[in-house]
Amino acid sequence: AERITIPELQKKLESSKKPIVVDVRETSEIKEGGAIPGAIHIPMRQIDKRMSEIPKNAEVVFYCGGGGRASRAAGAFAEAGYKTVRYCGLRDWKKQGLPTVPEIK
């Protein structure tokens, strides 16, 4: 799985074919640092159990604080046969001055 740049992710989120953005951090980290608007929350420890919630043909972008856990989640999805899987870090999102929301579902 490859890293997606924040400008590229932003462009995709503004298009009609938005990727599914998945936050793999813990709830406490989201409360502390915010989340990318529109993201869904699947903590890293639940990734394997909840993989079926994400359609196989969807474009998926995982993120965590810096990208480490997100890259592992993306790798797991790629191994499971998901075609378009990428990852990034919230720190990079914030460096671009982009908005965050206080909670996601």
Side-chain angles (χ1 to χ4, degrees):
E2 65 182 49
R3 193 171 192 106
I4 186 171
T5 67
I6 298 304
E8 188 183 349
L9 175 57
Q10 197 183 2
K11 199 181 293 172
K12 286 180 175 291
L13 289 172
E14 289 165 359
S15 76
S16 58
K17 283 194 71 183
K18 292 176 179 45
I20 296 173
V21 179
V22 181
D23 189 321
V24 298
R25 299 172 303 153
E26 294 300 318
T27 305
S28 60
E29 292 176 273
I30 294 172
K31 283 194 174 102
E32 216 170 86
I36 294 176
I40 60 171
H41 183 218
I42 303 179
M44 193 64 204
R45 59 188 154 68
Q46 295 176 10
I47 282 290
D48 293 340
K49 279 196 306 252
R50 295 180 58 191
M51 201 177 268
S52 62
E53 293 176 26
I54 305 214
K56 272 232 158 110
N57 59 351
E59 178 177 0
V60 192
V61 176
F62 294 92
Y63 77 93
C64 57
R69 285 171 288 177
S71 125
R72 289 196 299 279
F77 269 67
E79 280 175 29
Y82 285 76
K83 303 257 178 295
T84 318
V85 192
R86 307 215 284 193
Y87 68 93
C88 63
L90 186 64
R91 276 194 288 271
D92 295 331
W93 177 268
K94 287 181 164 180
K95 268 187 209 143
Q96 303 277 331
L98 294 166
T100 58
V101 292
E103 58 184 327
I104 53 174
K105 293 188 173 38

